[in-house]
Amino acid sequence: VLYKESVGTGTPTPVTPEMERVKRNQEICSSVLYKENIGKATPTPVTPEMERVKRNQEIISSVLYKENVGKVTPTPITPEMERVKRNQEIISSVLYKENVGQATPTPVTPEMERVKRNQEQISSVAYREGLGKATPSPMTPEMERVKRNQEQISSVLYKEQMAKGTPTPLTPEMERAKRNQENISSVLYSDSFRKQVQGKAAYVLDTPEMRRVRETQKHISTVKYHEDFEKSKGSFTPVVTDPITERVKKNMQDFSDISYRGIQRRVVEMERKRVDQDQENLTG
């Protein structure tokens, strides 16, 4: 506070092109002096011992980090939190679109396409030149054994870090909810499928090859039908005729006769009404 009071109020000066040029020159000079003071370093090869030390340091750092984190209390995700989260995403999207502003679209001309392709080719060539040559190493049995051991160790560590879950009994209420969900999913799937497929026919080209296959299938079906008919011809299935079967058969016959007579009577009445109507039309 005392420092700010002693400084007082300054007079703002506009940023002129000359001040911009001086600022860039100062940055360039500072970068050159910094690089001159660094000097040259001697690169050291990465040995297996250095790799081992690096891995140990990473493991120790991870352990210390987990110890310092401590325990937290998990909070359930409520519908209110979901609503607030969605509102925040919508607000962020709106603010982002407002800050973007309006841009002037430029047409993609053939010249721009040509320059873009040239840049991609130059970038690809420069990338390949910067890669250098690598020495392929054969996959020896020892390397295979080490790889399998690493996978097993990773699997064991993963299972140790996993917590134990509490099994919940499958109650009748859960079974009912599961069946309801399956029914709802089935109904939604059927509705979606019906909207997509209903009223749309699958067009298949009627080529000579397909016509030949269709005729062949008809011949095969006919031959198969005749073979089955010849095999079953002359054989019958004996049925025991008992009083109950006879009674059911007689009842079915009576129902058929009653139904037929009712329909026949209705047909006769309709025919008589039609004839009467025709006569009335002729006399009227």
Side-chain angles (χ1 to χ4, degrees):
V1 176
L2 293 175
Y3 172 73
K4 292 182 179 179
E5 290 178 355
S6 61
V7 169
T9 305
T11 304
T13 57
V15 180
T16 61
E18 181 65 20
M19 293 177 66
E20 289 284 343
R21 185 181 64 79
V22 172
K23 184 178 178 182
R24 284 197 299 273
N25 291 337
Q26 287 291 335
E27 291 175 354
I28 295 170
C29 293
S30 300
S31 176
V32 172
L33 292 174
Y34 175 74
K35 292 180 180 179
E36 289 179 354
N37 293 330
I38 286 177
K40 297 181 178 180
T42 304
T44 57
V46 179
T47 61
E49 181 65 20
M50 293 176 67
E51 288 285 343
R52 185 182 64 79
V53 173
K54 184 179 178 182
R55 284 196 300 272
N56 290 339
Q57 288 292 334
E58 291 175 353
I59 295 170
I60 293 170
S61 300
S62 176
V63 172
L64 293 176
Y65 172 76
K66 291 179 180 179
E67 290 178 353
N68 294 329
V69 167
K71 295 181 180 180
V72 296
T73 304
T75 58
I77 299 177
T78 60
E80 181 66 18
M81 293 175 67
E82 289 285 343
R83 185 183 64 80
V84 172
K85 184 179 178 182
R86 285 197 299 273
N87 291 339
Q88 287 292 334
E89 292 176 355
I90 295 170
I91 293 169
S92 299
S93 176
V94 171
L95 293 176
Y96 172 75
K97 292 179 180 178
E98 290 179 353
N99 294 329
V100 168
Q102 296 180 353
T104 304
T106 57
V108 179
T109 61
E111 181 66 18
M112 293 175 68
E113 288 285 343
R114 185 182 64 80
V115 171
K116 184 178 178 182
R117 285 196 299 272
N118 291 339
Q119 287 293 333
E120 291 176 354
Q121 293 173 359
I122 293 169
S123 299
S124 177
V125 172
Y127 173 73
R128 292 178 182 175
E129 290 178 353
L131 282 179
K133 296 181 179 179
T135 303
S137 58
M139 185 69 73
T140 61
E142 181 65 19
M143 293 175 68
E144 288 283 345
R145 185 183 64 79
V146 172
K147 183 179 178 182
R148 284 196 300 272
N149 290 340
Q150 287 293 332
E151 292 175 354
Q152 293 173 0
I153 292 170
S154 300
S155 176
V156 171
L157 292 176
Y158 173 74
K159 292 179 180 179
E160 288 179 354
Q161 292 174 2
M162 288 178 64
K164 293 182 179 180
T166 304
T168 58
L170 195 58
T171 60
E173 181 65 20
M174 294 175 67
E175 287 284 345
R176 186 183 62 80
K178 184 179 178 182
R179 284 197 300 273
N180 290 339
Q181 287 294 330
E182 292 175 354
N183 294 334
I184 293 170
S185 300
S186 177
V187 170
L188 294 176
Y189 173 77
S190 300
D191 291 342
S192 175
F193 180 77
R194 190 181 301 107
K195 290 178 182 178
Q196 294 177 2
V197 178
Q198 191 173 13
K200 298 180 181 179
Y203 297 98
V204 180
L205 296 177
D206 191 10
T207 59
E209 180 65 19
M210 293 189 67
R211 285 196 293 270
R212 184 184 65 80
V213 172
R214 190 163 58 244
E215 290 295 330
T216 304
Q217 288 292 334
K218 288 181 181 178
H219 294 323
I220 293 172
S221 299
T222 304
V223 172
K224 181 66 175 173
Y225 172 76
H226 283 294
E227 288 181 358
D228 294 340
F229 178 75
E230 291 296 332
K231 289 179 181 178
S232 61
K233 187 170 63 175
S235 61
F236 61 92
T237 303
V239 179
V240 179
T241 304
D242 54 355
I244 297 177
T245 307
E246 289 291 338
R247 183 175 59 81
V248 172
K249 184 178 179 181
K250 187 175 182 304
N251 291 337
M252 292 300 295
Q253 186 67 32
D254 294 339
F255 288 145
S256 300
D257 294 341
I258 292 171
S259 178
Y260 174 74
R261 290 172 184 174
I263 295 173
Q264 186 66 20
R265 189 183 303 108
R266 191 179 305 168
V267 171
V268 172
E269 290 177 358
M270 291 176 66
E271 184 67 20
R272 184 174 53 80
K273 290 180 180 179
R274 187 180 65 80
V275 173
D276 295 339
Q277 186 71 25
D278 292 340
Q279 289 179 357
E280 291 178 359
N281 293 332
L282 290 173
T283 56

